[in-house]
Amino acid sequence: SSETMSSKFPRLLEPIKLRGGAVLRNRALMGSMHTGLEEGEGWGHSLDKMGAFFAERARGGIGLMVTGGIAPNAAGRVAPFAASMTTASDARRHRTVTDMVHATPGAKIAMQILHAGRYAYHPSAVGPSAHKAPIGWFTPAALSAKGVQETIAEFARAAALAQEAGYDGVEVMGSEGYLINQFLAARTNKRTDEWGGPFSNRMRLPVEIVKACRAAVRDDFILIFRLSMLDLVEGGSDWPEVVALAQALEDAGATMINTGIGWHEARVPTIATAVPRGGFAWVTQKLRPSVSLPLVATNRINTPEVAESILSSGQADLVSMARPLLADPDFVNKAQEGTPELINTCIACNQACLDHTFQMKRASCLVNPRAGYESELNYTPTSSPQRVAVVGAGPAGLACATVAAGRGHHVRGPASLATPKPRPCSHTFTAAPLQVQCSLRCNTTLHHRSASSTPATPLVTPSLPPPPPASFP
Protein backbone atom coordinates (compact mmCIF):
# COMPACT_ATOMS: atom_id res chain seq x y z
CA SER A 1 0.00 0.00 0.00
CA SER A 2 1.06 3.62 -0.40
CA GLU A 3 1.00 3.96 3.40
CA THR A 4 3.50 1.10 3.71
CA MET A 5 5.66 2.65 1.02
CA SER A 6 5.74 6.06 2.63
CA SER A 7 6.37 4.70 6.11
CA LYS A 8 9.23 2.30 5.39
CA PHE A 9 11.25 3.28 2.31
CA PRO A 10 9.82 6.51 0.89
CA ARG A 11 13.00 7.73 -0.77
CA LEU A 12 14.00 4.40 -2.30
CA LEU A 13 10.55 3.92 -3.83
CA GLU A 14 10.17 7.50 -5.03
CA PRO A 15 10.16 7.96 -8.84
CA ILE A 16 12.79 10.21 -10.38
CA LYS A 17 12.55 12.27 -13.58
CA LEU A 18 15.82 12.45 -15.46
CA ARG A 19 17.36 15.02 -17.75
CA GLY A 20 15.78 14.53 -21.17
CA GLY A 21 12.42 13.43 -19.77
CA ALA A 22 12.81 9.74 -18.89
CA VAL A 23 11.16 8.70 -15.61
CA LEU A 24 12.33 5.82 -13.42
CA ARG A 25 9.67 4.20 -11.22
CA ASN A 26 12.03 4.16 -8.21
CA ARG A 27 15.61 4.93 -7.26
CA ALA A 28 16.92 1.35 -7.31
CA LEU A 29 19.30 0.54 -10.15
CA MET A 30 20.49 -2.98 -10.90
CA GLY A 31 24.20 -2.67 -11.59
CA SER A 32 26.04 -4.35 -14.43
CA MET A 33 27.27 -7.94 -14.03
CA HIS A 34 28.81 -10.38 -16.47
CA THR A 35 26.46 -13.36 -16.33
CA GLY A 36 27.68 -15.37 -19.32
CA LEU A 37 24.26 -15.00 -20.94
CA GLU A 38 25.24 -12.00 -23.09
CA GLU A 39 26.79 -14.09 -25.87
CA GLY A 40 23.61 -16.06 -26.54
CA GLU A 41 23.12 -19.70 -27.46
CA GLY A 42 23.27 -21.75 -30.64
CA TRP A 43 24.13 -20.67 -34.17
CA GLY A 44 21.77 -17.74 -33.91
CA HIS A 45 23.19 -16.64 -30.55
CA SER A 46 19.68 -16.55 -29.11
CA LEU A 47 19.31 -14.23 -26.11
CA ASP A 48 16.21 -15.92 -24.66
CA LYS A 49 17.99 -16.80 -21.41
CA MET A 50 19.37 -13.30 -20.99
CA GLY A 51 15.84 -11.99 -21.60
CA ALA A 52 14.37 -14.35 -18.99
CA PHE A 53 17.02 -13.26 -16.47
CA PHE A 54 16.19 -9.56 -16.83
CA ALA A 55 12.42 -10.07 -17.25
CA GLU A 56 12.24 -11.75 -13.85
CA ARG A 57 14.00 -8.78 -12.26
CA ALA A 58 11.78 -6.35 -14.14
CA ARG A 59 8.75 -8.09 -12.61
CA GLY A 60 10.54 -7.81 -9.26
CA GLY A 61 10.19 -4.02 -9.32
CA ILE A 62 13.69 -2.66 -10.02
CA GLY A 63 13.67 0.84 -11.54
CA LEU A 64 16.49 0.49 -14.09
CA MET A 65 18.66 -2.50 -14.99
CA VAL A 66 22.08 -2.40 -16.66
CA THR A 67 23.31 -5.35 -18.70
CA GLY A 68 26.73 -6.94 -18.52
CA GLY A 69 29.39 -5.23 -20.61
CA ILE A 70 28.90 -5.29 -24.39
CA ALA A 71 31.89 -4.28 -26.52
CA PRO A 72 31.70 -1.52 -29.16
CA ASN A 73 34.25 -3.26 -31.39
CA ALA A 74 36.28 -6.47 -31.69
CA ALA A 75 39.35 -5.12 -29.89
CA GLY A 76 37.23 -4.06 -26.92
CA ARG A 77 35.80 -7.51 -26.18
CA VAL A 78 36.84 -8.92 -22.82
CA ALA A 79 37.50 -12.33 -24.41
CA PRO A 80 37.72 -13.61 -28.01
CA PHE A 81 34.02 -14.43 -28.44
CA ALA A 82 32.52 -12.02 -25.93
CA ALA A 83 29.40 -10.04 -26.80
CA SER A 84 29.59 -6.92 -28.94
CA MET A 85 27.10 -4.45 -30.44
CA THR A 86 28.41 -3.57 -33.88
CA THR A 87 25.75 -4.44 -36.46
CA ALA A 88 22.01 -4.20 -37.13
CA SER A 89 21.77 -7.98 -36.67
CA ASP A 90 23.18 -7.58 -33.14
CA ALA A 91 20.46 -5.02 -32.44
CA ARG A 92 17.77 -7.36 -33.75
CA ARG A 93 18.95 -10.18 -31.47
CA HIS A 94 18.80 -7.88 -28.44
CA ARG A 95 15.14 -7.09 -29.21
CA THR A 96 14.40 -10.40 -27.48
CA VAL A 97 15.78 -8.99 -24.22
CA THR A 98 14.15 -5.55 -24.39
CA ASP A 99 10.76 -6.93 -25.43
CA MET A 100 10.74 -9.37 -22.51
CA VAL A 101 11.69 -6.59 -20.09
CA HIS A 102 9.16 -4.10 -21.43
CA ALA A 103 6.35 -6.64 -20.98
CA THR A 104 6.41 -5.29 -17.42
CA PRO A 105 4.97 -1.73 -17.39
CA GLY A 106 7.47 0.82 -16.11
CA ALA A 107 10.51 -1.45 -16.37
CA LYS A 108 13.62 -0.01 -18.01
CA ILE A 109 16.91 -1.49 -19.13
CA ALA A 110 20.19 0.05 -20.29
CA MET A 111 23.00 -1.68 -22.15
CA GLN A 112 26.50 -1.22 -20.80
CA ILE A 113 29.11 -0.37 -23.45
CA LEU A 114 32.43 -1.71 -22.21
CA HIS A 115 35.79 -1.54 -23.96
CA ALA A 116 38.20 -3.76 -22.03
CA GLY A 117 41.37 -2.03 -23.21
CA ARG A 118 44.42 -3.74 -21.74
CA TYR A 119 42.20 -5.99 -19.62
CA ALA A 120 41.14 -7.90 -22.77
CA TYR A 121 42.00 -11.61 -22.72
CA HIS A 122 42.98 -11.83 -26.40
CA PRO A 123 46.00 -10.82 -28.49
CA SER A 124 44.15 -7.95 -30.21
CA ALA A 125 44.04 -5.94 -26.99
CA VAL A 126 44.65 -2.19 -27.29
CA GLY A 127 45.27 0.59 -24.80
CA PRO A 128 46.51 4.15 -24.53
CA SER A 129 50.06 2.80 -24.25
CA ALA A 130 51.75 -0.59 -24.69
CA HIS A 131 51.86 -1.58 -21.01
CA LYS A 132 50.53 -4.96 -19.87
CA ALA A 133 48.17 -5.05 -16.89
CA PRO A 134 49.41 -6.94 -13.81
CA ILE A 135 46.31 -9.14 -14.13
CA GLY A 136 46.45 -9.33 -17.94
CA TRP A 137 47.76 -11.95 -20.34
CA PHE A 138 48.62 -9.73 -23.28
CA THR A 139 50.55 -6.52 -23.83
CA PRO A 140 48.15 -4.13 -25.59
CA ALA A 141 48.98 -2.30 -28.77
CA ALA A 142 48.98 1.48 -28.29
CA LEU A 143 46.02 3.01 -30.16
CA SER A 144 46.98 5.46 -32.90
CA ALA A 145 45.32 8.88 -32.93
CA LYS A 146 43.16 7.62 -35.78
CA GLY A 147 42.36 4.51 -33.74
CA VAL A 148 41.17 6.70 -30.86
CA GLN A 149 38.82 8.61 -33.17
CA GLU A 150 37.48 5.34 -34.59
CA THR A 151 36.88 4.03 -31.06
CA ILE A 152 34.84 7.14 -30.21
CA ALA A 153 32.72 6.60 -33.34
CA GLU A 154 32.26 2.92 -32.42
CA PHE A 155 30.98 3.83 -28.94
CA ALA A 156 28.45 6.15 -30.61
CA ARG A 157 27.47 3.42 -33.08
CA ALA A 158 26.92 0.98 -30.19
CA ALA A 159 24.69 3.55 -28.44
CA ALA A 160 22.63 4.11 -31.59
CA LEU A 161 22.28 0.34 -32.11
CA ALA A 162 21.27 -0.11 -28.46
CA GLN A 163 18.50 2.43 -29.03
CA GLU A 164 17.48 0.53 -32.18
CA ALA A 165 17.43 -2.67 -30.12
CA GLY A 166 14.87 -1.15 -27.77
CA TYR A 167 17.09 -0.33 -24.83
CA ASP A 168 16.10 2.68 -22.73
CA GLY A 169 19.69 3.83 -22.36
CA VAL A 170 23.34 2.90 -22.23
CA GLU A 171 25.99 2.99 -19.57
CA VAL A 172 29.44 4.02 -20.74
CA MET A 173 31.87 2.01 -18.65
CA GLY A 174 34.53 4.48 -17.53
CA SER A 175 35.72 2.78 -14.35
CA GLU A 176 37.20 -0.41 -12.90
CA GLY A 177 40.41 0.02 -14.91
CA TYR A 178 38.97 -0.58 -18.39
CA LEU A 179 39.97 1.40 -21.51
CA ILE A 180 38.47 4.78 -20.59
CA ASN A 181 39.99 4.55 -17.11
CA GLN A 182 43.32 3.65 -18.70
CA PHE A 183 43.26 6.86 -20.74
CA LEU A 184 42.37 8.92 -17.66
CA ALA A 185 45.17 7.73 -15.41
CA ALA A 186 48.82 8.71 -15.68
CA ARG A 187 49.51 5.16 -14.43
CA THR A 188 48.58 3.74 -17.84
CA ASN A 189 48.52 6.72 -20.21
CA LYS A 190 52.08 7.51 -21.31
CA ARG A 191 51.05 9.26 -24.54
CA THR A 192 52.55 12.53 -25.71
CA ASP A 193 49.85 13.48 -28.26
CA GLU A 194 46.51 15.25 -27.71
CA TRP A 195 45.19 12.17 -25.84
CA GLY A 196 47.94 12.12 -23.19
CA GLY A 197 50.03 14.32 -20.94
CA PRO A 198 48.03 16.85 -18.86
CA PHE A 199 44.66 15.77 -17.45
CA SER A 200 42.82 18.05 -19.90
CA ASN A 201 44.15 15.74 -22.63
CA ARG A 202 43.72 12.47 -20.72
CA MET A 203 40.05 13.24 -20.02
CA ARG A 204 39.32 14.04 -23.66
CA LEU A 205 38.40 10.44 -24.61
CA PRO A 206 35.47 10.01 -22.16
CA VAL A 207 34.16 13.50 -22.87
CA GLU A 208 34.26 12.96 -26.64
CA ILE A 209 32.61 9.54 -26.25
CA VAL A 210 29.72 11.01 -24.25
CA LYS A 211 29.30 13.86 -26.75
CA ALA A 212 29.25 11.42 -29.67
CA CYS A 213 26.83 9.05 -27.92
CA ARG A 214 24.48 11.89 -27.01
CA ALA A 215 24.46 13.12 -30.63
CA ALA A 216 23.61 9.59 -31.85
CA VAL A 217 20.49 9.02 -29.68
CA ARG A 218 17.24 10.77 -28.81
CA ASP A 219 16.97 13.24 -25.92
CA ASP A 220 15.15 10.92 -23.52
CA PHE A 221 17.61 8.07 -24.08
CA ILE A 222 19.38 7.57 -20.74
CA LEU A 223 23.14 8.06 -20.89
CA ILE A 224 24.88 6.85 -17.73
CA PHE A 225 28.60 7.32 -17.24
CA ARG A 226 30.29 4.98 -14.78
CA LEU A 227 32.93 7.26 -13.29
CA SER A 228 35.84 5.91 -11.27
CA MET A 229 35.64 8.12 -8.18
CA LEU A 230 38.23 6.12 -6.25
CA ASP A 231 40.86 4.28 -8.34
CA LEU A 232 42.68 2.67 -5.39
CA VAL A 233 45.85 2.24 -7.47
CA GLU A 234 49.12 4.16 -7.67
CA GLY A 235 49.03 6.79 -10.39
CA GLY A 236 45.24 6.96 -10.47
CA SER A 237 43.07 10.07 -10.69
CA ASP A 238 43.11 12.52 -7.79
CA TRP A 239 39.94 14.17 -6.47
CA PRO A 240 40.17 17.47 -8.43
CA GLU A 241 40.45 15.35 -11.61
CA VAL A 242 37.35 13.35 -10.67
CA VAL A 243 35.40 16.58 -10.16
CA ALA A 244 36.67 18.13 -13.40
CA LEU A 245 35.67 15.06 -15.39
CA ALA A 246 32.23 14.85 -13.76
CA GLN A 247 31.51 18.48 -14.64
CA ALA A 248 32.73 17.99 -18.21
CA LEU A 249 30.52 14.90 -18.58
CA GLU A 250 27.50 16.89 -17.42
CA ASP A 251 28.24 19.51 -20.08
CA ALA A 252 28.76 16.76 -22.68
CA GLY A 253 25.22 15.42 -22.22
CA ALA A 254 25.33 12.62 -19.65
CA THR A 255 22.04 11.84 -17.88
CA MET A 256 23.47 10.49 -14.65
CA ILE A 257 26.78 9.44 -13.14
CA ASN A 258 27.26 6.04 -11.56
CA THR A 259 30.04 5.45 -9.04
CA GLY A 260 32.98 3.19 -9.82
CA ILE A 261 35.20 2.03 -6.94
CA GLY A 262 38.63 0.56 -7.57
CA TRP A 263 40.37 -0.90 -10.59
CA HIS A 264 40.25 -4.66 -11.02
CA GLU A 265 43.98 -4.73 -10.30
CA ALA A 266 43.56 -2.79 -7.03
CA ARG A 267 44.57 -4.63 -3.87
CA VAL A 268 41.92 -2.99 -1.69
CA PRO A 269 38.72 -5.01 -1.06
CA THR A 270 35.73 -3.23 -2.64
CA ILE A 271 32.90 -5.79 -2.75
CA ALA A 272 33.89 -8.60 -0.38
CA THR A 273 31.94 -9.44 2.77
CA ALA A 274 34.62 -7.60 4.76
CA VAL A 275 33.54 -4.29 3.20
CA PRO A 276 30.94 -2.59 5.44
CA ARG A 277 27.46 -2.20 3.98
CA GLY A 278 27.31 0.99 1.98
CA GLY A 279 30.96 1.50 2.83
CA PHE A 280 31.76 3.67 -0.20
CA ALA A 281 28.66 5.90 -0.25
CA TRP A 282 30.76 8.73 1.24
CA VAL A 283 32.68 8.94 -2.05
CA THR A 284 29.49 9.61 -4.03
CA GLN A 285 28.36 12.12 -1.40
CA LYS A 286 31.63 14.00 -1.77
CA LEU A 287 30.88 14.67 -5.46
CA ARG A 288 27.29 15.84 -5.00
CA PRO A 289 27.99 19.55 -4.41
CA SER A 290 30.04 19.73 -7.63
CA VAL A 291 27.43 18.54 -10.15
CA SER A 292 23.68 18.79 -10.66
CA LEU A 293 23.28 15.40 -12.36
CA PRO A 294 21.79 12.52 -10.33
CA LEU A 295 24.53 10.44 -8.72
CA VAL A 296 24.34 6.70 -8.05
CA ALA A 297 25.98 5.16 -4.96
CA THR A 298 27.20 1.59 -5.16
CA ASN A 299 29.03 -1.33 -3.50
CA ARG A 300 27.72 -3.47 -0.66
CA ILE A 301 24.21 -2.00 -0.56
CA ASN A 302 22.26 -5.17 0.06
CA THR A 303 19.19 -4.27 2.13
CA PRO A 304 16.46 -1.67 1.56
CA GLU A 305 17.30 -0.22 4.98
CA VAL A 306 20.88 0.54 3.89
CA ALA A 307 19.63 1.93 0.57
CA GLU A 308 17.05 4.16 2.26
CA SER A 309 19.64 5.46 4.71
CA ILE A 310 22.01 6.44 1.89
CA LEU A 311 19.25 8.19 -0.06
CA SER A 312 17.48 9.89 2.84
CA SER A 313 20.76 11.21 4.27
CA GLY A 314 21.57 12.87 0.94
CA GLN A 315 24.60 10.76 0.06
CA ALA A 316 23.22 9.92 -3.38
CA ASP A 317 20.16 10.26 -5.64
CA LEU A 318 19.96 6.57 -6.58
CA VAL A 319 21.52 3.33 -5.36
CA SER A 320 23.01 0.58 -7.49
CA MET A 321 22.74 -3.04 -6.38
CA ALA A 322 24.01 -5.87 -8.55
CA ARG A 323 24.57 -9.11 -6.62
CA PRO A 324 21.55 -8.50 -4.32
CA LEU A 325 19.38 -8.83 -7.44
CA LEU A 326 21.00 -12.17 -8.20
CA ALA A 327 20.09 -13.29 -4.68
CA ASP A 328 16.51 -12.02 -4.88
CA PRO A 329 14.85 -10.73 -8.07
CA ASP A 330 11.90 -9.52 -5.95
CA PHE A 331 14.04 -7.28 -3.75
CA VAL A 332 12.15 -4.07 -4.58
CA ASN A 333 8.69 -5.66 -4.54
CA LYS A 334 9.32 -7.04 -1.06
CA ALA A 335 10.49 -3.63 0.14
CA GLN A 336 7.43 -2.02 -1.41
CA GLU A 337 5.10 -4.55 0.20
CA GLY A 338 6.57 -3.77 3.62
CA THR A 339 8.16 -7.23 3.99
CA PRO A 340 11.91 -6.59 3.72
CA GLU A 341 12.56 -9.44 6.13
CA LEU A 342 11.56 -11.84 3.34
CA ILE A 343 14.37 -10.64 1.06
CA ASN A 344 16.90 -13.36 0.30
CA THR A 345 19.98 -11.34 1.25
CA CYS A 346 23.20 -11.30 -0.75
CA ILE A 347 26.06 -12.35 1.53
CA ALA A 348 28.82 -10.99 -0.78
CA CYS A 349 30.48 -14.41 -1.00
CA ASN A 350 31.26 -14.12 -4.74
CA GLN A 351 31.39 -17.91 -5.00
CA ALA A 352 28.81 -18.44 -7.72
CA CYS A 353 28.84 -15.04 -9.41
CA LEU A 354 32.37 -13.65 -9.76
CA ASP A 355 34.13 -16.97 -9.24
CA HIS A 356 32.02 -18.57 -11.97
CA THR A 357 32.70 -15.66 -14.32
CA PHE A 358 36.46 -15.99 -13.85
CA GLN A 359 36.13 -19.71 -14.60
CA MET A 360 34.22 -18.91 -17.82
CA LYS A 361 31.05 -20.44 -16.33
CA ARG A 362 27.59 -18.94 -16.23
CA ALA A 363 27.12 -16.70 -13.21
CA SER A 364 24.61 -17.77 -10.61
CA CYS A 365 24.17 -17.27 -6.85
CA LEU A 366 25.11 -19.32 -3.82
CA VAL A 367 21.85 -18.36 -2.07
CA ASN A 368 19.67 -18.49 -5.22
CA PRO A 369 20.59 -21.28 -7.65
CA ARG A 370 17.87 -20.11 -10.06
CA ALA A 371 19.88 -16.96 -10.84
CA GLY A 372 20.97 -17.25 -14.47
CA TYR A 373 18.77 -20.33 -14.94
CA GLU A 374 15.34 -18.69 -14.95
CA SER A 375 14.19 -20.54 -18.07
CA GLU A 376 15.57 -23.89 -16.88
CA LEU A 377 15.22 -24.24 -13.11
CA ASN A 378 11.63 -23.61 -12.03
CA TYR A 379 9.95 -24.98 -8.94
CA THR A 380 6.59 -25.89 -10.43
CA PRO A 381 3.72 -27.32 -8.32
CA THR A 382 3.83 -31.11 -8.14
CA SER A 383 0.94 -33.24 -9.38
CA SER A 384 1.78 -36.06 -6.96
CA PRO A 385 2.61 -34.75 -3.46
CA GLN A 386 4.97 -36.99 -1.48
CA ARG A 387 5.74 -37.27 2.21
CA VAL A 388 9.32 -35.97 2.44
CA ALA A 389 11.59 -36.31 5.47
CA VAL A 390 14.51 -33.89 5.42
CA VAL A 391 17.38 -35.04 7.62
CA GLY A 392 19.79 -32.26 8.42
CA ALA A 393 19.10 -28.61 9.17
CA GLY A 394 22.09 -26.99 7.52
CA PRO A 395 21.68 -24.65 4.54
CA ALA A 396 21.15 -27.59 2.18
CA GLY A 397 18.51 -29.20 4.38
CA LEU A 398 16.61 -25.96 4.89
CA ALA A 399 16.73 -25.15 1.17
CA CYS A 400 15.55 -28.64 0.32
CA ALA A 401 12.68 -28.34 2.80
CA THR A 402 11.49 -24.95 1.56
CA VAL A 403 11.62 -25.89 -2.12
CA ALA A 404 9.90 -29.22 -1.58
CA ALA A 405 7.17 -27.59 0.51
CA GLY A 406 6.80 -24.80 -2.02
CA ARG A 407 6.15 -27.39 -4.70
CA GLY A 408 3.40 -28.97 -2.59
CA HIS A 409 5.13 -31.90 -0.92
CA HIS A 410 4.45 -32.76 2.73
CA VAL A 411 7.74 -31.99 4.45
CA ARG A 412 8.96 -33.03 7.87
CA GLY A 413 12.25 -32.06 9.44
CA PRO A 414 14.36 -33.94 12.04
CA ALA A 415 12.71 -34.88 15.30
CA SER A 416 12.29 -32.25 17.96
CA LEU A 417 13.59 -32.67 21.47
CA ALA A 418 11.41 -34.61 23.87
CA THR A 419 8.57 -32.44 25.20
CA PRO A 420 10.23 -29.12 24.36
CA LYS A 421 8.65 -25.84 25.28
CA PRO A 422 7.32 -23.92 22.27
CA ARG A 423 9.05 -20.61 21.66
CA PRO A 424 9.24 -18.05 18.85
CA CYS A 425 11.30 -19.04 15.83
CA SER A 426 13.73 -16.55 14.32
CA HIS A 427 14.73 -18.66 11.33
CA THR A 428 13.84 -17.24 7.93
CA PHE A 429 12.26 -19.21 5.10
CA THR A 430 11.36 -17.46 1.88
CA ALA A 431 9.80 -20.07 -0.41
CA ALA A 432 6.11 -19.54 -1.03
CA PRO A 433 3.62 -21.01 -0.48
CA LEU A 434 5.40 -22.67 2.43
CA GLN A 435 4.57 -24.55 5.55
CA VAL A 436 7.50 -26.36 7.14
CA GLN A 437 8.26 -27.69 10.59
CA CYS A 438 11.41 -25.79 11.60
CA SER A 439 14.11 -28.38 11.99
CA LEU A 440 16.48 -26.36 14.16
CA ARG A 441 15.13 -28.07 17.29
CA CYS A 442 12.93 -25.15 18.27
CA ASN A 443 9.61 -27.02 17.94
CA THR A 444 8.02 -24.24 15.90
CA THR A 445 5.80 -24.65 12.89
CA LEU A 446 6.47 -22.03 10.23
CA HIS A 447 3.81 -20.59 7.97
CA HIS A 448 4.66 -18.52 4.92
CA ARG A 449 1.83 -17.76 2.54
CA SER A 450 1.95 -15.91 -0.73
CA ALA A 451 -0.98 -13.74 -1.78
CA SER A 452 -2.39 -16.63 -3.80
CA SER A 453 -1.86 -19.41 -1.27
CA THR A 454 -4.46 -20.71 1.15
CA PRO A 455 -4.08 -21.46 4.85
CA ALA A 456 -2.95 -24.96 5.63
CA THR A 457 -2.94 -27.19 8.67
CA PRO A 458 0.35 -27.05 10.58
CA LEU A 459 2.60 -30.04 10.22
CA VAL A 460 3.19 -32.02 13.36
CA THR A 461 6.43 -33.79 14.15
CA PRO A 462 6.29 -36.38 16.94
CA SER A 463 8.62 -35.67 19.83
CA LEU A 464 11.50 -38.12 20.16
CA PRO A 465 14.29 -38.34 22.70
CA PRO A 466 17.48 -36.52 21.77
CA PRO A 467 20.17 -38.56 20.02
CA PRO A 468 23.03 -39.91 22.18
CA PRO A 469 26.11 -37.71 22.36
CA ALA A 470 28.75 -38.37 19.74
CA SER A 471 31.79 -40.29 20.97
CA PHE A 472 35.23 -39.25 19.84
CA PRO A 473 38.43 -41.24 20.10
Side-chain angles (χ1 to χ4, degrees):
S1 69
S2 58
E3 185 179 342
T4 301
M5 288 169 56
S6 60
S7 61
K8 287 211 169 189
F9 311 108
R11 192 67 173 163
L12 176 64
L13 300 171
E14 180 184 40
I16 179 171
K17 185 173 182 178
L18 304 173
R19 177 185 197 178
V23 177
L24 303 183
R25 55 182 170 172
N26 55 55
R27 292 166 184 260
L29 183 148
M30 177 177 164
S32 174
M33 293 175 284
H34 296 287
T35 61
L37 302 174
E38 297 85 5
E39 286 71 40
E41 286 196 317
W43 290 106
H45 298 282
S46 163
L47 294 175
D48 288 348
K49 289 180 180 177
M50 180 179 171
F53 173 81
F54 284 109
E56 186 156 312
R57 283 142 187 88
R59 291 190 294 272
I62 198 77
L64 173 66
M65 299 172 288
V66 183
T67 70
I70 309 288
N73 57 26
R77 294 180 298 187
V78 292
F81 300 103
S84 59
M85 178 65 80
T86 60
T87 66
S89 64
D90 290 332
R92 283 193 297 274
R93 285 190 307 109
H94 278 260
R95 268 280 171 192
T96 301
V97 177
T98 58
D99 285 347
M100 291 174 77
V101 166
H102 293 145
T104 298
K108 285 186 164 53
I109 183 168
M111 186 190 85
Q112 187 185 77
I113 309 175
L114 180 151
H115 192 303
R118 72 174 191 164
Y119 280 172
Y121 285 91
H122 56 73
S124 302
V126 297
S129 306
H131 294 279
K132 186 169 84 71
I135 60 171
W137 289 358
F138 300 95
T139 299
L143 275 171
S144 65
K146 181 184 176 188
V148 174
Q149 293 286 2
E150 288 172 349
T151 300
I152 293 168
E154 286 157 345
F155 266 87
R157 178 184 65 187
L161 287 170
Q163 179 177 274
E164 190 179 313
Y167 284 101
D168 301 287
V170 292
E171 178 175 77
V172 174
M173 181 51 156
S175 67
E176 319 303 303
Y178 291 111
L179 180 80
I180 292 173
N181 227 168
Q182 293 159 23
F183 267 84
L184 285 166
R187 171 188 183 86
T188 42
N189 187 339
K190 308 298 182 183
R191 302 174 73 97
T192 55
D193 61 3
E194 68 269 32
W195 304 100
F199 187 69
S200 56
N201 283 359
R202 286 183 278 125
M203 68 181 266
R204 183 169 289 154
L205 178 66
V207 173
E208 291 302 319
I209 285 173
V210 169
K211 283 181 181 175
C213 288
R214 174 48 68 202
V217 296
R218 61 180 187 270
D219 288 349
D220 68 346
F221 192 74
I222 301 166
L223 182 46
I224 311 164
F225 189 89
R226 183 95 180 263
L227 171 61
S228 186
M229 298 188 196
L230 201 62
D231 284 348
L232 300 177
V233 293
E234 298 259 350
S237 295
D238 60 28
W239 188 251
E241 291 173 348
V242 171
V243 172
L245 176 57
Q247 292 172 341
L249 293 170
E250 181 167 356
D251 293 340
T255 311
M256 68 171 88
I257 294 175
N258 195 0
T259 305
I261 301 290
W263 289 32
H264 285 320
E265 65 201 68
R267 304 301 297 271
V268 180
T270 57
I271 59 171
T273 311
V275 177
R277 292 182 176 185
F280 290 102
W282 64 270
V283 183
T284 312
Q285 181 183 25
K286 191 175 177 182
L287 184 61
R288 282 197 90 195
S290 303
V291 292
S292 59
L293 289 183
L295 299 183
V296 188
T298 187
N299 288 44
R300 290 286 285 133
I301 302 167
N302 66 346
T303 69
E305 290 84 0
V306 172
E308 182 69 20
S309 172
I310 289 168
L311 296 170
S312 62
S313 64
Q315 291 182 289
D317 302 283
L318 300 98
V319 290
S320 174
M321 300 172 285
R323 295 169 300 167
L325 274 298
L326 282 178
D328 197 334
D330 293 316
F331 184 103
V332 175
N333 281 352
K334 289 174 180 177
Q336 189 157 349
E337 290 160 6
T339 55
E341 70 278 4
L342 298 183
I343 290 171
N344 195 31
T345 306
C346 166
I347 59 173
C349 70
N350 298 327
Q351 292 182 43
C353 50
L354 278 177
D355 287 0
H356 277 203
T357 298
F358 292 137
Q359 295 165 27
M360 306 302 284
K361 296 178 183 176
R362 193 188 312 185
S364 187
C365 180
L366 191 78
V367 298
N368 175 23
R370 285 195 65 249
Y373 293 85
E374 289 74 15
S375 60
E376 299 157 75
L377 180 58
N378 287 294
Y379 307 134
T380 54
T382 182
S383 57
S384 57
Q386 306 291 315
R387 293 171 64 83
V388 179
V390 180
V391 180
L398 297 180
C400 174
T402 58
V403 171
R407 293 194 62 205
H409 295 297
H410 305 294
V411 180
R412 291 169 185 261
S416 305
L417 290 168
T419 60
K421 296 179 181 178
R423 63 182 185 274
C425 173
S426 61
H427 309 123
T428 303
F429 297 78
T430 57
L434 169 66
Q435 175 209 343
V436 179
Q437 176 80 23
C438 182
S439 55
L440 294 181
R441 293 194 176 278
C442 71
N443 196 42
T444 302
T445 299
L446 304 172
H447 298 271
H448 176 93
R449 294 194 279 275
S450 67
S452 60
S453 64
T454 54
T457 307
L459 297 169
V460 178
T461 301
S463 295
L464 295 174
S471 58
F472 296 97

